[in-house]
């Protein structure tokens, strides 16, 4: 087994092991969280079928509301046929596993097309990582749709490389339509001038939007925008500095802590300003396959850390993360990248550390000492944020080490021979 395979396997297995611990914690210590999000989908489907406002209803045991565009509720209507949410939850879990199997096969096949062997053990570990890593486990427990959307992103990028542009655009449009922030993938599509892919993505989003309009009317669409979409900005959460217990992975966290008195809109501006030069550098003179993968990774990480996304949304970087674990050549850039990937597997906020100490029955004095040590670090950022930034640093260092960021000399710029 090559060093690359061993390092990839280490990332997959540590992520899957931490995910297994999380799933056990959900089942044993927090059984009420199982199906937490799917219950929202279920009552929304019941309301839609009854002709009521499905953005206004909540499950009896939680205060969560449906947050996705109107057309998406059509996918959950079969759930309303059952009296309980449990059959639907089991169905979405099975579909998530199937989608993960497809994503695993696509990723392994793509990596092998680059000339890297992916053995059976690595494929099994990759499947476990995508299905139930420390980032995927919450989605699996809650009954969310993230596994399906991650599989769509993986398929979209694989098809984009394979020049199946229309299919890639239609597939990449789905995560963007449902979650909105994956629409930042469009930055890479614009950089590549993938006009057919962009047209397919815009067309798919338009069709889905019109489907929602025809099915539920203008008022429901307006309710989605005003009551569900706009509040996702979470601006109020950053006022005075984001609480270290909140499970966000975003550059807005350290900015809000360092500048607690400014208008929260400047945190968004600051995050964009910090990420823009990184993307410019990674997009500069992309000529090789590896440079393309590095640029895609920069896009996906920026997509996650620029917005107030949750820790579990780190899974949306899966395509480039997995590919670069194999494709990034040896060097200091690779070392940084692998270190970042390993660190990002620790999906914790301050509240997660507190819960872990409680689950381990750690004494109050010891727990207080641990919290005093970790809270200052976690106030500025989570391990997922630090790890994500390390992978970006690794990508930048690779570009520097490879010399691909240098400006090529033209014939007129060639240095003169001093002896001539």
């Amino acid at each position: 087994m090559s060093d690359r395979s061993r390092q990839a396997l280490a990332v997959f297995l540590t992520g899957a092991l931490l995910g297994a611990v999380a799933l056990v914690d959900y089942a044993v210590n927090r059984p009420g969280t199982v199906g937490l999000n799917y219950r929202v989908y279920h009552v929304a489907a019941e309301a839609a079928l009854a002709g009521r406002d499905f953005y206004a209803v909540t499950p009896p045991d939680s205060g969560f509301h449906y947050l996705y565009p109107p057309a998406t509720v059509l996918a959950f209507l079969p759930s309303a046929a059952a009296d309980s949410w449990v059959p639907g939850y089991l169905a979405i879990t099975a579909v998530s596993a199937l989608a993960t199997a497809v994503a695993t096969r696509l990723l392994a096949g793509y990596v092998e097309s680059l000339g890297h062997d992916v053995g059976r053990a690595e494929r099994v570990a990759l499947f476990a990582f995508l299905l139930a890593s420390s980032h995927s486990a919450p989605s699996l427990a809650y009954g969310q749709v993230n596994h399906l959307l991650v599989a769509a992103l993986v398929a979209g990028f694989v098809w984009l490389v394979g020049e199946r542009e229309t299919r890639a655009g239609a597939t990449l449009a789905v995560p963007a339509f449902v979650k909105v922030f994956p629409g930042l993938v469009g930055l890479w599509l614009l950089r590549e001038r993938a006009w057919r892919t962009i047209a397919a993505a815009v067309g798919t989003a338009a069709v889905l939007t019109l489907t929602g309009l025809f099915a539920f009317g203008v008022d429901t669409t307006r309710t989605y925008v005003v009551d569900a979409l706009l509040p996702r900005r979470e601006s109020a959460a950053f006022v005075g500095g984001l609480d270290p217990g909140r499970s966000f992975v975003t550059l807005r966290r350290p900015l809000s802590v360092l500048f607690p008195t400014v208008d929260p809109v400047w945190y968004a501006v600051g995050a964009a300003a910090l990420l823009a030069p990184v993307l410019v550098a990674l997009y500069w003179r992309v000529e090789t396959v590896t440079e393309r993968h590095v640029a895609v990774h920069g896009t996906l990480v920026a997509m996650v850390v620029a917005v107030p996304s949750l820790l579990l949304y780190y899974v949306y970087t899966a395509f480039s993360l997995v590919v670069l674990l194999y494709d990034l050549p040896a060097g200091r850039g690779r070392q940084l990248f692998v270190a970042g990937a390993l660190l990002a597997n620790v999906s914790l906020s301050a509240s997660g550390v507190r819960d872990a100490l409680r689950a381990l029955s750690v004494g109050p004095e010891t727990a207080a000492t641990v919290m005093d040590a970790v809270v200052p670090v976690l106030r500025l950022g989570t391990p997922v944020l630090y790890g994500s930034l390390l992978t970006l640093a690794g990508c930048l260092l690779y570009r520097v080490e490879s010399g691909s960021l240098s400006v090529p000399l033209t014939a007129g710029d060639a240095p003169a021979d001093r002896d001539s």
Side-chain angles (χ1 to χ4, degrees), residues 25-374:
D25 177 54
Y26 287 127
V28 175
N29 299 318
R30 294 181 285 172
T33 61
V34 176
L36 186 65
N37 288 96
Y38 191 81
R39 283 174 252 165
V40 176
Y41 307 157
H42 180 75
V43 298
E46 289 181 325
L49 205 59
R52 295 182 286 117
D53 180 6
F54 49 86
Y55 290 110
V57 297
T58 62
D61 51 355
S62 83
F64 295 113
H65 294 263
Y66 195 75
L67 298 176
Y68 302 150
T72 58
V73 80
L74 297 173
F76 299 108
L77 289 184
S79 180
D83 294 332
S84 168
W85 57 270
V86 175
Y89 171 73
L90 295 176
I92 199 171
T93 302
V95 172
S96 294
L98 179 60
T100 301
V102 172
T104 301
R105 183 171 182 176
L106 286 171
L107 272 171
Y110 180 68
V111 168
E112 290 196 326
S113 75
L114 301 173
H116 309 289
D117 184 51
V118 184
R120 181 175 298 177
E122 292 161 76
R123 289 173 182 258
V124 172
L126 174 57
F127 173 77
F129 177 75
L130 295 177
L131 180 68
S133 71
S134 50
H135 316 98
S136 303
S139 295
L140 202 63
Y142 300 155
Q144 289 188 350
V145 296
N146 289 317
H147 289 80
L148 310 181
L149 303 183
V150 170
L153 277 174
V154 168
F157 276 111
V158 170
W159 289 334
L160 180 63
V161 174
E163 297 185 352
R164 287 177 279 186
E165 296 181 53
T166 301
R167 183 185 299 184
T171 307
L172 291 172
V174 175
F177 179 74
V178 176
K179 294 285 189 178
V180 181
F181 74 89
L184 291 174
V185 167
L187 290 174
W188 174 246
L189 300 182
L190 288 170
R191 161 61 179 79
E192 289 292 275
R193 296 182 177 86
W195 307 124
R196 186 177 298 177
T197 303
I198 293 171
V202 171
T204 300
V207 168
L208 291 171
T209 301
L210 289 173
T211 300
L213 281 169
F214 286 130
F216 302 108
V218 174
D219 288 341
T220 299
T221 301
R222 184 185 299 112
T223 299
Y224 160 68
V225 173
V226 175
D227 296 340
L229 180 58
L230 294 180
R232 288 197 214 179
R233 294 177 298 174
E234 297 279 359
S235 298
F238 293 90
V239 174
L242 185 65
D243 187 323
R246 296 294 298 271
S247 297
F248 284 108
V249 49
T250 174
L251 276 174
R252 300 185 193 186
R253 178 192 290 274
L255 291 173
S256 71
V257 173
L258 295 173
F259 308 101
T261 60
V262 305
D263 191 307
V265 71
W266 288 107
Y267 303 144
V269 174
L274 290 171
L275 290 167
V278 176
L279 287 182
V280 168
L282 295 180
Y283 282 12
W284 176 257
R285 292 179 58 218
V286 175
E287 296 175 348
T288 70
V289 172
T290 303
E291 288 169 6
R292 183 167 284 106
H293 295 151
V294 162
V296 169
H297 187 69
T299 306
L300 293 178
V301 170
M303 175 188 83
V304 171
V305 304
V307 300
S309 55
L310 299 172
L311 294 177
L312 53 82
Y313 289 151
Y314 176 74
V315 296
Y316 284 74
T317 69
F319 171 77
S320 56
L321 177 75
V322 171
V323 170
L324 285 173
L325 284 171
Y326 288 94
D327 193 47
L328 205 60
R332 290 175 298 171
R334 178 178 179 83
Q335 291 171 357
L336 270 181
F337 186 90
V338 174
L342 288 168
L343 178 59
N345 277 337
V346 184
S347 185
L348 281 176
S349 63
S351 61
V353 175
R354 190 178 295 108
D355 291 342
L357 293 173
R358 189 181 299 115
L360 294 171
S361 301
V362 175
E365 291 185 2
T366 303
T369 301
V370 172
M371 293 304 298
D372 287 343
V374 301

